[in-house]
């Protein structure tokens, strides 16, 4: 019998629920991905670059034209000038970037603070580096940082804190004041940050995303991670990037070059072209997804689910206490998929210690209007 290095890891909830949705024919509002395509010009550009012979390895750090587009977008969005050569690394997905950042700095015995509910890839990545996750629960109502719990969790072994804003699964946003408070708390300590900002352009109601890139003190110790998959509706392209100060980027690249060496070449060419031609895409994204959120929430208003509209991401949490308080959220998600025809994600799987009385499931609204209408129709009769 092999002695597993990840004994607690099974198949992810995203795979499980998407498979169940396919088997049962349920509308799949579980795993986060759009049911519509990315821009035509972007897809055409991939075909063109493949036809033009851009089919061999990209540079290890990423195609220069794409790194420059990322740097230009960061300057426009967050007012920071980053060096495209020494601070931007293109990775095959944000997940790989997060993994490499963790491997680059975490050693045996180090502790990494994560906030629950937390994205599923962080903990296995920390464990493979020999570290240990210390889970700090966010507030159960508004998913804000509980500063006392964070202070209590810090120890001399704390080597990293992983932030995620906009937050999956709750959609909560971190504020500038919270980043300032974090900076003050760790000012004299040797602690790195991974800031998972893959939903950076999905922030609603006129609010601006607060990036660690715009915070001088925090950026100096940070790996800021994003994903073209979310921003350009192409999750299956698994292309992302990590921005970090030169010394941290150099360490990240030592890992990245042996995990994958580089990202997929024609995808990088296409993204570089599209970003250069359509810098407005990222500015239009909030309105695009806010319209979906509002349509979906309006349609759900007559239902027995209760919710407050999310501030960011393409996920809406809904409380089902008025419907099946007898079911825990995993059973509720299974029942909704099998019996009601709508696949969802239970929130408890994002916790080390689930909150027993919580009755929340996550619905993905990155869907065509007809899908949202069909799903809402089913959800309103449960
Ligand atoms: N972080 C969070 C919070 C996510 O929701 C996702 C989406 N899967 C990722 C990272 C991974 O992004 P990618 O698909 O680019 O690896
Ligand atoms: N980030 C996606 C979600 O939260 C899932 C990605 C995956 O399947 N690993 O639904």
């Amino acid at each position: 019998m092999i002695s597993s290095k990840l004994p607690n890891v099974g198949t992810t909830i995203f795979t499980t629920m998407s498979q169940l949705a396919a088997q049962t024919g349920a509308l799949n509002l579980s795993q986060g991905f759009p049911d519509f395509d990315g821009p035509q010009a972007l897809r055409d550009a991939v075909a063109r670059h493949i036809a033009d012979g851009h089919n061999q390895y990209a540079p290890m750090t990423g195609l220069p034209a794409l790194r420059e587009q990322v740097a230009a977008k960061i300057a426009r969005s967050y007012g920071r000038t980053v060096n495209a050569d020494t601070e931007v690394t293109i990775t095959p997905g944000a997940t790989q970037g997060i993994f490499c950042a963790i491997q680059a700095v975490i050693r045996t015995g180090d502790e990494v603070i994560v906030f629950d509910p937390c994205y599923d890839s962080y903990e296995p990545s920390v464990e493979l580096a020999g570290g240990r996750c210390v889970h700090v629960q966010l507030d159960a109502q508004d998913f804000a940082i509980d500063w006392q719990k964070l202070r209590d969790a810090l120890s001399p072994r704390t080597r990293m804190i992983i932030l995620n804003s906009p937050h999956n699964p709750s959609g909560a946003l971190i504020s500038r004041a919270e980043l300032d408070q974090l900076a003050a708390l760790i000012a004299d300590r040797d602690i790195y940050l991974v800031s998972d900002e893959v939903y950076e352009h999905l922030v609603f109601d006129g609010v601006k995303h607060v990036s660690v890139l715009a915070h001088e003190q925090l950026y100096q110790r940070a790996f800021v991670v994003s994903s073209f998959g979310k921003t350009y509706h192409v999750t299956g392209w698994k292309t992302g990037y990590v921005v970090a100060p030169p010394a941290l980027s150099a360490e990240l690249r030592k890992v990245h070059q042996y995990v994958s060496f580089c990202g997929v070449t024609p995808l990088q060419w296409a993204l570089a072209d599209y970003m250069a031609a359509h810098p407005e895409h990222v500015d239009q994204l909030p309105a695009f997804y806010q319209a979906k959120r509002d349509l979906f929430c309006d349609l759900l208003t007559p239902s027995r689910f209760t919710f407050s509209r999310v501030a960011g991401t393409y996920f809406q949490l809904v409380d089902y206490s008025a419907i099946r308080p007898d079911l825990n959220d995993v059973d509720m998600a299974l029942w909704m998929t099998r019996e009601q025809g709508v696949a969802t994600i239970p929130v408890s799987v994002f916790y080390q210690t689930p909150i027993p009385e919580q009755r929340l499931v996550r619905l993905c609204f990155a869907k065509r209007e007809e899908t949202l209408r069909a799903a809402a129709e089913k959800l309103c009769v449960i």
Side-chain angles (χ1 to χ4, degrees):
M1 253 301 260
I2 187 166
S3 157
S4 176
K5 290 184 73 180
L6 295 171
N8 300 321
V9 168
T11 307
T12 79
I13 189 70
F14 307 115
T15 302
T16 304
M17 294 311 297
S18 275
Q19 275 175 356
L20 191 61
Q23 276 163 21
T24 58
L27 293 166
N28 190 1
L29 269 50
S30 63
Q31 190 178 25
F33 61 87
D35 73 346
F36 47 87
D37 256 327
Q40 182 73 44
L42 176 60
R43 289 180 286 132
D44 289 347
V46 179
R48 193 173 65 245
H49 284 293
I50 289 177
D52 286 353
H54 288 137
N55 300 303
Q56 309 309 329
Y57 295 125
M60 181 274 279
T61 58
L63 204 71
L66 183 55
R67 282 189 276 107
E68 271 151 31
Q69 285 303 321
V70 169
K73 187 204 72 175
I74 288 168
R76 278 199 311 276
S77 298
Y78 308 121
R80 166 173 295 280
T81 306
V82 295
N83 184 313
D85 287 332
T86 57
E87 293 176 84
V88 180
T89 306
I90 308 297
T91 59
T95 312
Q96 194 262 20
I98 293 166
F99 182 83
C100 292
I102 291 168
Q103 306 312 310
V105 297
I106 295 304
R107 298 164 198 261
T108 305
D110 284 347
E111 290 177 356
V112 176
I113 293 181
V114 297
F115 295 99
D116 281 5
C118 108
Y119 189 60
D120 68 342
S121 84
Y122 307 155
E123 183 145 34
S125 305
V126 168
E127 288 181 354
L128 288 175
R132 186 174 78 86
C133 277
V134 175
H135 293 256
V136 173
Q137 279 197 357
L138 295 170
D139 183 273
Q141 302 306 319
D142 64 5
F143 298 93
I145 294 174
D146 179 326
W147 292 94
Q148 192 51 50
K149 284 192 178 140
L150 177 57
R151 268 184 231 106
D152 293 346
L154 284 170
S155 91
R157 289 184 298 279
T158 309
R159 195 61 53 232
M160 177 182 275
I161 298 175
I162 303 185
L163 299 176
N164 172 213
S165 174
H167 178 245
N168 180 3
S170 75
L173 309 177
I174 219 159
S175 67
R176 173 72 201 198
E178 287 175 301
L179 287 191
D180 287 343
Q181 202 165 343
L182 179 65
L185 187 63
I186 62 176
D188 303 323
R189 308 179 67 137
D190 185 17
I191 293 177
Y192 299 101
L193 292 182
V194 163
S195 185
D196 178 346
E197 303 184 13
V198 299
Y199 300 103
E200 61 179 321
H201 299 297
L202 279 70
V203 176
F204 311 130
D205 305 312
V207 177
K208 250 185 85 77
H209 171 59
V210 175
S211 176
V212 164
L213 287 163
H215 197 288
E216 182 54 31
Q217 268 168 290
L218 290 181
Y219 177 64
Q220 291 314 323
R221 51 173 85 211
F223 299 90
V224 180
V225 183
S226 191
S227 172
F228 298 105
K230 318 288 169 189
T231 303
Y232 296 97
H233 319 303
V234 288
T235 60
W237 288 15
K238 292 302 294 188
T239 304
Y241 59 87
V242 182
V243 185
L248 293 185
S249 287
E251 292 307 310
L252 170 93
R253 290 168 176 186
K254 288 182 189 174
V255 181
H256 159 76
Q257 72 179 341
Y258 293 121
V259 173
S260 51
F261 185 74
C262 64
V264 178
T265 305
L267 301 183
Q268 295 189 53
W269 278 100
L271 286 162
D273 284 0
Y274 191 78
M275 287 179 81
H278 296 284
E280 76 290 352
H281 175 93
V282 294
D283 304 321
Q284 294 169 350
L285 212 52
F288 175 80
Y289 271 117
Q290 185 172 328
K292 292 195 180 294
R293 178 200 66 173
D294 287 341
L295 170 71
F296 192 45
C297 288
D298 289 347
L299 292 167
L300 286 187
T301 302
S303 78
R304 291 194 291 156
F305 291 97
T306 54
F307 54 88
S308 11
R309 293 176 192 229
V310 281
T313 76
Y314 48 45
F315 303 116
Q316 177 65 52
L317 289 189
V318 294
D319 187 307
Y320 62 88
S321 309
I323 302 173
R324 291 297 305 267
D326 56 313
L327 293 184
N328 68 37
D329 62 354
V330 173
D331 290 340
M332 181 68 181
L334 294 173
W335 179 75
M336 285 178 71
T337 310
R338 291 190 182 124
E339 309 290 331
Q340 307 297 329
V342 181
T344 69
I345 296 289
V347 168
S348 62
V349 298
F350 294 78
Y351 282 90
Q352 180 184 48
T353 311
I355 302 175
E357 63 278 11
Q358 209 168 50
R359 291 285 179 268
L360 294 174
V361 290
R362 191 195 79 177
L363 298 165
C364 175
F365 59 80
K367 305 295 167 189
R368 287 169 288 153
E369 181 173 338
E370 65 197 81
T371 312
L372 294 175
R373 287 189 184 280
E377 206 170 297
K378 291 177 188 293
L379 296 168
C380 282
V381 295
I382 301 183

